[in-house]
Amino acid sequence: MLVAAAVCPCPPLLVPEVAAGASAELDAARDACLDAVGVLAASRPDLLVVVGPGDDRSAGRYPAGAHGTFRGVGVDLDVTLGDAPGDTAVPDRPLPQSLTVGAWLLGRARWTGAPVEGLAVAEREAAEECASAGRALAGRAERVALLVMGDGSACRTLKSPGYLDERAAAFDAGATEALGSADLDALAALDATLAHELKAAGRAPWQLLGGAARYAGLAGRLLYEGAPYGVGYTVAAWS
C-alpha cells in the first residue's frame, strides 16, 4: 500500500555542481525537494521506488545499485541508486536523467531508510497503463513510498526549451493544483497529447502516482511551484 509520495522536478540544474553560478536560482526548489524526501523518510516505508520519465530505450525497472552520471552535461559526477546487496552485481544499464537526479536527491538527503528501486516510464505511455503500473507498485510491499520525478511544460516563455505556447501556463496550473491537493481524478484527466506537445515529461509519472494512490487516502501539500527557466517545476508531498 502507498503510504507517502514526494513529487519533484528532475532538471540536472537541480544539482549545484551542474548549475554552477546559477545554483542559487533553484535554492527554493532544492530545499522543497529535500523537505518532500523528509516526508518519505517519516513514513517508514518498506520499499522506496524512484519513478521518472524515460524514452523507449530507458523505460523499465532499475535495481538498487544502478549508476547514473552527469558527465553528459559536463560535470564529472556519478551517483548510485540506493545500496545494492553485497552479493549483487552492479547493473550495466545506466539510469536515465530523471532517475539520476532522483538518486542524487536521495544522496543529498542521506537516505538510509528502506531499500530503493527505480522505474522509468515511457513519456508517451497511456494514462490507463500508467495508472495500472502505479497500482502494481503500491502492491509491492505493505508500506510503499514513491519519489516521483517529473517536469511540467517546457513552453512557458520565449526562451523556454520548447518556445512559448500560450496553453502551457494553464496546463501547469492545473497539474500543480492536482499534485498539491492529491486530486486523483484531475491527475487522471491530464491530456497526454497536450502534455507531449508542451514537452511536459512529468505527465506519465504523475498519472502513475495517481494510480498508486487510488485507495490510499493520502492528503497532498504543495511545497513549491515556479518556472525559473521557462519550465514548470512543482514540488509536493503526499502523506
Side-chain angles (χ1 to χ4, degrees):
M1 179 178 179
L2 186 71
V3 295
V7 177
C8 297
C10 55
L13 288 171
L14 202 64
V15 179
E17 292 89 338
V18 175
S23 175
E25 295 182 44
L26 284 179
D27 277 350
R30 195 176 296 116
D31 291 345
C33 289
L34 292 172
D35 288 344
V37 172
V39 171
L40 300 182
S43 73
R44 296 181 173 275
D46 300 316
L47 173 67
L48 171 63
V49 182
V50 183
V51 180
D55 56 26
D56 290 339
R57 292 186 301 173
S58 63
R61 290 186 177 183
Y62 291 81
H67 290 298
T69 184
F70 292 99
R71 295 180 189 182
V73 290
V75 175
D76 186 13
L77 175 64
D78 299 328
V79 295
T80 302
L81 184 67
D83 296 319
D87 59 349
T88 302
V90 175
D92 292 330
R93 188 166 67 145
L95 297 169
Q97 175 185 293
S98 62
L99 301 189
T100 297
V101 176
W104 172 84
L105 186 57
L106 291 178
R108 180 87 166 197
R110 298 182 180 179
W111 179 268
T112 58
V116 181
E117 297 180 8
L119 176 65
V121 186
E123 293 184 27
R124 299 302 299 271
E125 192 77 29
E128 296 80 3
E129 296 299 322
C130 293
S132 177
R135 290 190 293 271
L137 275 187
R140 289 277 311 282
E142 185 173 343
R143 299 181 64 82
V144 175
L146 298 182
L147 173 55
V148 181
M149 311 298 295
D151 300 340
S153 73
C155 302
R156 292 283 291 272
T157 70
L158 293 174
K159 294 183 178 180
S160 297
Y163 197 65
L164 175 65
D165 190 311
E166 299 293 345
R167 303 170 295 174
F171 177 89
D172 286 342
T176 294
E177 172 62 26
L179 292 168
S181 61
D183 187 334
L184 307 186
D185 291 336
L187 285 178
L190 290 176
D191 188 318
T193 299
L194 177 60
H196 177 69
E197 292 173 354
L198 297 177
K199 302 185 186 301
R203 189 276 309 171
W206 296 339
Q207 290 185 323
L208 182 149
L209 168 61
R214 178 54 64 180
Y215 303 108
L218 302 183
R221 181 163 55 99
L222 182 64
L223 302 181
Y224 173 87
E225 63 175 318
Y229 300 109
V231 180
Y233 297 149
T234 298
V235 182
W238 293 18
S239 61

